[in-house]
Amino acid sequence: MLHSVAPATWLTQEAYTRLKRELDGLLNARGQQEESSQQMATESRIRQLTALLKNVNIHSPADDGIVEPGMLIEACIDGQPEVFLMGNRVILGTEELNVFSEQSPLGVAIRGLRPGDVTSYTAPNKRQVTISIIAATPYTGPGQAGDQR
């Protein structure tokens, strides 16, 4: 029987460190809660973080212009310029940058595209959205988004 391996979740180093610290803190505090509902919430968060951190990639992708997790994307979405990071939403909080998951409708539509490619996808509100890729560069850390606008 073959088992498929889930693709690695791309995280920034900052997000990985923050989540690892949270997990370590929860593991150290395990069983110290007085309420069973609090214990259940702690155990649930431990399971969530353990699963997330089990298969992560914190290395920058190749600078090949291909849209993939870990890339800072400059695009035109329905005529409006946008800059965002493609990666797991847990990255939020590490900097003032929009993050779109590769599993989101937008992420699925643009993954693998290159600058100059144009596509469309159906948003959750059933509206057709057109997106044009302008650039895809490896995310290098806080402040990069401001440098590209």
Side-chain angles (χ1 to χ4, degrees), residues 24 45 83 91 123 146:
D24 291 344
R45 183 64 176 159
V83 176
I91 295 169

Side-chain angles (χ1 to χ4, degrees), residues 40-112:
M40 288 176 24
T42 297
E43 290 301 319
S44 176
R45 183 64 176 159
I46 288 171
R47 283 191 303 277
Q48 181 185 33
L49 289 171
T50 300
L52 177 68
L53 296 173
K54 187 176 188 176
N55 189 18
V56 297
N57 178 4
I58 56 174
H59 302 290
S60 293
D63 192 2
D64 55 10
I66 298 173
V67 174
E68 62 184 307
M71 298 295 265
L72 190 68
I73 312 301
E74 187 177 347
C76 192
I77 302 175
D78 275 348
Q80 298 297 313
E82 297 282 340
V83 176
F84 58 91
L85 178 59
M86 181 182 267
N88 193 294
R89 305 267 310 156
V90 298
I91 295 169
L92 289 172
T94 58
E95 101 164 75
E96 299 286 325
L97 181 63
N98 287 328
V99 178
F100 289 96
S101 165
E102 61 269 23
Q103 286 96 24
S104 70
L106 175 113
V108 169
I110 65 172
R111 188 170 187 160

